[in-house]
Amino acid sequence: MSPLDEVCVIAFSGTPEVVVPRRAVGRDSFVERKIRGITSGGGTNLHSAMRTAIDELSASGAGTKHMIVLTDGMTMGSPETGFELAEMARGLGITVSAVGIEEGAQDPSLKRIAEIAGGKFHPVTDLKAARELPEIFIREFSEFGRRMTIEGDFTPTVLAGSSGPLRGITGVPQIGGYTVTVPRAGLAELLIVQPSTDAVDP
């Protein structure tokens, strides 16, 4: 994920816990530290966690919104509740993929949730497959996440407030594409932006 991407991490047993409130990934290790602190235990109430995730994602202004469910067992409640939540997510422009491990790898309702919400189902059935979990997440971010290279014909906008030797520039030539990046502190900035379906890119 890029520093510009937003992330929210929700751990769930009987009830959901927002471990990482929705925020930009950033360049620090905050998200990683919080994820490493998650421990297992309790029951499995996937549906309440999905509702919390839908609320978090709905509040985001991002153009691409994707939920990855990771679970090791059958959930409380009826499968139909999960299907209804998947329909709700799809209606809000949220795709949902599911990763089932141990007992969860055999849960047909996880596969159905992913199908309804336009995502993928990844059954992790043994230790060999478990070693591929990082690769599964990388593929998910690559396929459903934001593209970092944008191609097309663009005429960026120059905002007022440029400093240093770039002050006074009011326009730039059309470009044929760009790589999404973030401003670097300590440099003279020419405030050029390109609105996209995902964000206003610097």
Side-chain angles (χ1 to χ4, degrees), residues 82-98:
F83 305 156
E84 290 167 5
L85 288 165
E87 292 274 10
M88 180 190 299
R90 186 178 68 181
L92 293 168
I94 300 167
T95 50
V96 181
S97 288

Side-chain angles (χ1 to χ4, degrees), residues 39-101:
T39 58
S40 63
T44 304
N45 191 343
L46 169 61
H47 301 152
S48 62
M50 285 182 66
R51 282 192 188 91
T52 303
I54 288 170
D55 290 344
E56 290 281 343
L57 287 163
S58 297
S60 172
T64 301
K65 301 178 185 183
H66 186 54
M67 179 193 314
I68 303 174
V69 172
L70 172 67
T71 181
D72 64 353
M74 308 295 183
T75 182
M76 303 173 189
S78 70
E80 285 70 25
T81 302
F83 305 156
E84 290 167 5
L85 288 165
E87 292 274 10
M88 180 190 299
R90 186 178 68 181
L92 293 168
I94 300 167
T95 50
V96 181
S97 288
V99 182
I101 60 176

Side-chain angles (χ1 to χ4, degrees), residues 26 30 49 65 81 94 126-127 164 169 180 196:
F30 173 81
K65 301 178 185 183
T81 302
I94 300 167
D126 54 32
L127 186 59
I169 294 178
V180 179
S196 72

Side-chain angles (χ1 to χ4, degrees), residues 96-114:
V96 181
S97 288
V99 182
I101 60 176
E102 297 181 356
E103 292 179 13
Q106 311 301 327
D107 187 352
S109 64
L110 288 177
K111 182 178 181 182
R112 184 66 186 134
I113 285 171

